[in-house]
Amino acid sequence: MPGQGILSDLRIVEASAFVAAPLGGLTLAQMGADVIRIDPLGGGLDFDRWPMSPDDASLFWCGLNKAKRSVALNLADPEGREIAMSLISAPGEGAGLFVTNFPPRGWLDYDKLKARRADLIQLTLQGDHKGGSAVDYTVNARVGIPYVTGPVGYEAPVNHVLPAWDVATGHLVATGLLAAERHRSRTGQGQHVKLALEDVALSVMAHLGFIAEAQLGCARGRYGNDLFGAFGRDFVCSDGRRVIAIGLTLKQWNSLVEATGLAQAIDAIGARRGLDLVKEGDRFLARRELGTVIGDWIAARPFADVAASFDRAGVCWAPYQTIDELVGVDPACSVDNPLFDSVDQSGVGRVLVPRSALRFEAFEARAPGTAPALGEHTEAVLGEILGIDGAGYGRLCDRGVVCSPKRR
Amino acid sequence: MPGQGILSDLRIVEASAFVAAPLGGLTLAQMGADVIRIDPLGGGLDFDRWPMSPDDASLFWCGLNKAKRSVALNLADPEGREIAMSLISAPGEGAGLFVTNFPPRGWLDYDKLKARRADLIQLTLQGDHKGGSAVDYTVNARVGIPYVTGPVGYEAPVNHVLPAWDVATGHLVATGLLAAERHRSRTGQGQHVKLALEDVALSVMAHLGFIAEAQLGCARGRYGNDLFGAFGRDFVCSDGRRVIAIGLTLKQWNSLVEATGLAQAIDAIGARRGLDLVKEGDRFLARRELGTVIGDWIAARPFADVAASFDRAGVCWAPYQTIDELVGVDPACSVDNPLFDSVDQSGVGRVLVPRSALRFEAFEARAPGTAPALGEHTEAVLGEILGIDGAGYGRLCDRGVVCSPKRR
């Protein structure tokens, strides 16, 4: 799907499953790169990943593979693997980029591929730095986040629902490929780039101070919905609707005090506790008392009144929404937000589909793209990149190297 | 801090606070770019962000600003702002890159900066696509994740502790800057790149299928610690230690069945429920019964036995660890993992500091870098980039344009 876009001269081959590697490819595809995903006939490990549409299409797969081209090959057949290797190592200045989260063996082996194209860039996503396997859920359990998430006093771990480490890693895959391609365009040198999901999680835990905190002997506790180190939490309005209000910066805090008109009560809390509430950390220390007076104020008012007061004073706040509410009533999650198009996705129907969140002013906004049917582009890609003509393709089909019997 | 590294010919000026924009800069700095963070004298909004060290250094700030150079200016003074604009727009092929999460007004205004350097690349991180403000916590409340996180039957929202949207956005900042610089190096054209935190969250919610799922009328429920759409959850061993075990792919599932020796009981569940447990979705539908038999097996064994059985069969699993356990006993979170160095960070002490998780084979691993003292590099940077000599710097100091009185 080459065309307009800041990366439209790049071609990336992807052999992947699940979130991180496909999200890396998606990120580049939505910026205009020609991303060709290679799958086995019948689909890879993530082809039926839930959620599914009533017509049995994976909303997950469609979401993570839009704007890509799909090549399906019989990878159990040496001829299928040969074609895959030829696609990965095909010539072209903006080509020769490969991303995978499978073990880099067999047809995915960097050295073998490099023998075909010396300046190949391969990014291999691993579970851990030794090449062992790990998934978002196991990494999250290891790094300790589930024990600091959830209600105070709750004993069990709380898993995250958003695969945050996968998402963080997916975006870093895109960064890594662009950096390596930048280097190659200057020096002619390709390379193998490795990235471990576990390392991404560990490095972020360190960047945010969690690891140093524990090393200094005061590992993070479980603070429920309280924002650590400042003021911020959830509240319930008189009509049962919930809001989050934040006083992280002093400006945010002053807005919250102004909106609620509670300056006097809040000053009294500071005086009683001997805390200087101008300091964000002191607001955290006084979070219970502050939460009580602000919570009482909010609990006495319906959502609409709270929202109006908060907006008037410029409070940093938001309603808690269910995903249904997000989709049903939030204008940011609609075509009113230029992020979204309403797109007819085969097997799914008309749904909101986002384009790249990165808006490059020098380029028109691109269509977000739809997910391909499995193997939709096999014939075209084999023709275009490997020069396989219609007759040649027919013979591959007859030998079962291409053309999924399941999905024809 | 220029030197060896895949991006060592790039220079990025950063005016930022909190997580996403500083993480974008950090990501590039750890790949070798010279990242110069400009702060007001005395520090920006995030300079005292918790967690803090006993010596009153922000572990958060140190974590997110390592490997950068620090310039501190009196930005309330027109001369300070003039210096900031000169630094941002200074010439040089790899320079003229600017990232900010502040409103792009005044000295941060793209048009004013572009008038000084026509090919400037500015990436402005916004709260929402209209330029409004939003933070990770408010965005998360809006998109619905807190209502699907946490124990089944729990009524209130559960905030995430990891600022996942900030982290995802920070890595995308790095991607966006590299893509824009790639375009500039080919065309000479700079541009203003915009990225909204809210758009990143909305797009990921769509990529993962959450939004389409709700549009199709079956928004995600709250499934506690159960992995949606397949099998995976937390378990308690006989000694109270907890583990997560995953059967997402068929291979993972078969390993789990093999490790526990429960094939017969599990087949009986499939038969009784009329489900084909070879299908991941059917494992999700049978998750309660499967969880009970597997949970009973695990509950009858101490952690060491469970771990040994799981490892023998190649199960996808992990222990749940507290952050203290991660730091205290996990070899992945130690200098045994080449990700980490033990580094003496001023104001903090000796702590584990990660280098870039991206390993570029063509380059030696770089030192992770330490965080600068505030304004540590002001004199050097003003000399090197603007040609301000010692006498000129002294005059700026006398006029209070540089040299924080607080931190000298």
Side-chain angles (χ1 to χ4, degrees):
Chain A
M1 215 163 291
Q4 275 288 64
I6 194 164
L7 300 180
S8 56
D9 59 328
L10 280 186
R11 186 170 77 218
I12 295 124
V13 176
E14 178 188 311
S16 71
F18 301 114
V19 179
L23 177 59
L26 171 63
T27 302
L28 300 172
Q30 289 202 309
M31 289 156 71
D34 177 21
V35 177
I36 297 169
R37 176 166 160 146
I38 296 179
D39 275 295
L41 298 179
L45 292 172
D46 54 352
F47 193 62
D48 296 313
R49 181 85 180 92
W50 283 28
M52 304 292 286
S53 78
D55 290 339
D56 225 21
S58 165
L59 303 176
F60 173 99
W61 198 92
C62 289
L64 285 161
N65 294 297
K66 52 188 173 257
K68 300 180 190 176
R69 297 203 284 180
S70 171
V71 166
L73 299 170
N74 182 355
L75 295 165
D77 181 322
E79 203 173 0
R81 297 194 294 270
E82 170 62 31
I83 291 172
M85 294 182 81
S86 300
L87 288 176
I88 293 165
S89 59
E93 199 192 320
L97 290 147
F98 177 47
V99 59
T100 187
N101 63 315
F102 299 131
R105 294 189 293 261
W107 63 276
L108 306 139
D109 180 89
Y110 170 70
D111 290 326
K112 279 192 206 141
L113 291 164
K114 189 186 172 188
R116 295 170 177 238
R117 176 166 177 155
D119 69 348
L120 180 76
I121 292 165
Q122 174 166 341
L123 191 150
T124 301
L125 183 61
Q126 306 171 313
D128 63 36
H129 69 278
K130 295 174 183 167
S133 75
V135 298
D136 178 271
Y137 314 94
T138 58
V139 165
N140 197 47
R142 288 266 297 280
V143 299
I145 290 290
Y147 276 132
V148 293
T149 305
V152 177
Y154 190 70
E155 201 192 336
V158 173
N159 289 352
H160 61 191
V161 172
L162 177 76
W165 304 119
D166 271 342
V167 172
T169 302
H171 289 167
L172 207 50
V173 163
T175 303
L177 284 169
L178 289 180
E181 195 272 338
R182 182 177 189 276
H183 178 68
R184 185 178 72 179
S185 75
R186 280 162 174 71
T187 63
Q189 186 185 27
Q191 64 185 308
H192 197 182
V193 185
K194 292 180 179 172
L195 178 63
L197 181 67
E198 182 182 88
D199 280 354
V200 175
L202 289 166
S203 61
V204 169
M205 290 296 286
H207 296 337
L208 295 172
F210 286 101
I211 288 177
E213 203 181 5
Q215 287 192 290
L216 296 179
C218 42
R220 189 74 52 91
R222 193 172 225 160
Y223 295 114
N225 282 347
D226 282 315
L227 189 163
F228 177 72
F231 186 79
R233 49 164 275 197
D234 59 312
F235 295 98
V236 188
C237 305
S238 65
D239 50 8
R241 291 201 58 188
R242 290 170 193 270
V243 297
I244 185 166
I246 304 289
L248 171 50
T249 67
L250 185 58
K251 188 177 160 210
Q252 289 166 354
W253 173 244
N254 287 338
S255 299
L256 186 55
V257 175
E258 184 199 324
T260 55
L262 290 168
Q264 222 174 354
I266 285 168
D267 286 349
I269 290 169
R272 194 161 62 240
R273 289 287 312 271
L275 295 169
D276 178 4
L277 300 179
V278 163
K279 294 185 185 163
E280 62 198 72
D282 281 14
R283 297 197 285 277
F284 182 68
L285 297 175
R287 66 190 180 281
R288 286 225 185 79
E289 298 91 324
L290 296 173
T292 300
V293 298
I294 295 170
D296 287 347
W297 185 89
I298 293 173
R301 287 162 177 79
F303 173 80
D305 291 5
V306 172
S309 299
F310 280 4
D311 283 340
R312 208 157 37 228
V315 171
C316 179
W317 78 283
Y320 279 92
Q321 298 183 139
T322 63
I323 299 174
D324 263 336
E325 287 168 339
L326 170 72
V327 170
V329 307
D330 194 326
C333 189
S334 79
V335 291
D336 289 351
N337 181 346
L339 178 71
F340 284 110
D341 261 4
S342 177
V343 171
D344 194 4
Q345 171 68 51
S346 167
V348 173
R350 190 160 281 278
V351 287
L352 282 174
V353 180
R355 42 177 62 79
S356 173
L358 282 162
R359 287 179 286 151
F360 295 95
E361 191 199 44
F363 291 84
E364 299 264 312
R366 292 170 50 78
T370 53
L374 192 67
E376 179 178 341
H377 306 97
T378 310
E379 183 167 5
V381 167
L382 268 51
E384 179 189 316
I385 300 181
L386 304 181
I388 294 173
D389 64 11
Y393 188 79
R395 286 190 296 272
L396 288 171
C397 211
D398 293 342
R399 290 199 294 275
V401 178
V402 296
C403 314
S404 159
K406 181 177 160 193
R407 305 257 167 192
R408 285 192 91 186
Chain B
M1 215 163 291
Q4 275 286 65
I6 195 164
L7 299 180
S8 56
D9 59 328
L10 280 187
R11 185 170 76 218
I12 295 122
V13 175
E14 178 188 311
S16 71
F18 300 115
V19 180
L23 178 59
L26 171 63
T27 302
L28 301 171
Q30 290 202 308
M31 291 156 70
D34 177 22
V35 177
I36 298 169
R37 175 167 161 146
I38 297 178
D39 274 297
L41 299 179
L45 292 172
D46 54 352
F47 193 62
D48 297 312
R49 182 82 180 93
W50 282 30
M52 304 292 285
S53 78
D55 291 339
D56 225 21
S58 165
L59 303 176
F60 173 98
W61 198 92
C62 289
L64 285 161
N65 294 296
K66 52 188 172 260
K68 301 180 188 175
R69 297 204 282 180
S70 171
V71 166
L73 299 170
N74 181 356
L75 295 166
D77 181 321
E79 204 173 359
R81 297 194 294 270
E82 170 62 31
I83 291 171
M85 295 182 80
S86 300
L87 288 175
I88 295 166
S89 59
E93 198 192 319
L97 289 147
F98 176 48
V99 58
T100 187
N101 63 315
F102 299 131
R105 293 190 293 262
W107 63 276
L108 306 140
D109 181 273
Y110 170 71
D111 290 325
K112 278 192 206 140
L113 291 163
K114 189 187 172 187
R116 293 170 177 238
R117 176 167 177 153
D119 69 348
L120 179 76
I121 292 166
Q122 174 165 341
L123 191 149
T124 301
L125 183 60
Q126 306 171 314
D128 64 35
H129 69 278
K130 293 176 184 167
S133 74
V135 298
D136 178 272
Y137 315 93
T138 57
V139 165
N140 197 48
R142 288 267 296 279
V143 299
I145 290 290
Y147 276 132
V148 294
T149 305
V152 177
Y154 190 71
E155 200 193 338
V158 172
N159 290 353
H160 60 191
V161 172
L162 177 75
W165 303 121
D166 271 343
V167 172
T169 302
H171 290 167
L172 206 50
V173 163
T175 303
L177 284 169
L178 289 181
E181 197 272 338
R182 183 177 189 276
H183 177 68
R184 186 178 69 179
S185 75
R186 279 160 174 72
T187 63
Q189 186 185 28
Q191 64 186 307
H192 196 182
V193 186
K194 292 180 180 174
L195 178 63
L197 181 67
E198 183 183 87
D199 280 353
V200 175
L202 288 166
S203 61
V204 169
M205 291 296 286
H207 296 337
L208 295 172
F210 286 101
I211 287 176
E213 204 181 5
Q215 287 192 291
L216 297 178
C218 43
R220 190 73 55 90
R222 193 172 225 161
Y223 296 113
N225 282 347
D226 282 316
L227 189 162
F228 177 73
F231 186 79
R233 49 164 274 199
D234 60 313
F235 296 99
V236 188
C237 305
S238 66
D239 51 8
R241 290 200 59 187
R242 292 170 193 269
V243 297
I244 185 166
I246 304 289
L248 171 51
T249 67
L250 184 59
K251 189 177 160 210
Q252 289 166 352
W253 174 243
N254 287 338
S255 299
L256 186 56
V257 175
E258 184 198 325
T260 55
L262 291 168
Q264 222 173 354
I266 285 169
D267 286 349
I269 290 169
R272 195 161 59 242
R273 290 286 312 271
L275 294 168
D276 178 4
L277 300 178
V278 162
K279 294 185 185 162
E280 60 197 73
D282 281 15
R283 297 197 284 279
F284 182 68
L285 297 175
R287 66 190 180 280
R288 283 222 188 81
E289 299 91 322
L290 296 172
T292 299
V293 299
I294 295 170
D296 287 347
W297 185 91
I298 292 173
R301 285 159 179 81
F303 173 79
D305 291 5
V306 172
S309 299
F310 280 3
D311 282 341
R312 211 159 32 230
V315 172
C316 179
W317 78 282
Y320 280 91
Q321 299 181 138
T322 63
I323 299 173
D324 263 337
E325 288 166 341
L326 171 73
V327 170
V329 306
D330 194 325
C333 189
S334 78
V335 291
D336 289 352
N337 181 346
L339 178 72
F340 284 111
D341 263 3
S342 177
V343 172
D344 194 5
Q345 171 67 52
S346 166
V348 173
R350 191 160 281 278
V351 286
L352 283 175
V353 180
R355 43 177 64 78
S356 174
L358 282 162
R359 287 179 288 151
F360 295 95
E361 193 199 41
F363 292 84
E364 299 264 310
R366 292 169 50 79
T370 52
L374 192 69
E376 180 179 340
H377 305 97
T378 310
E379 183 166 5
V381 167
L382 268 51
E384 181 189 317
I385 300 181
L386 304 182
I388 294 173
D389 64 11
Y393 187 79
R395 286 190 296 273
L396 287 171
C397 211
D398 293 340
R399 290 199 296 274
V401 178
V402 296
C403 313
S404 159
K406 181 178 158 193
R407 304 262 166 187
R408 283 192 93 188

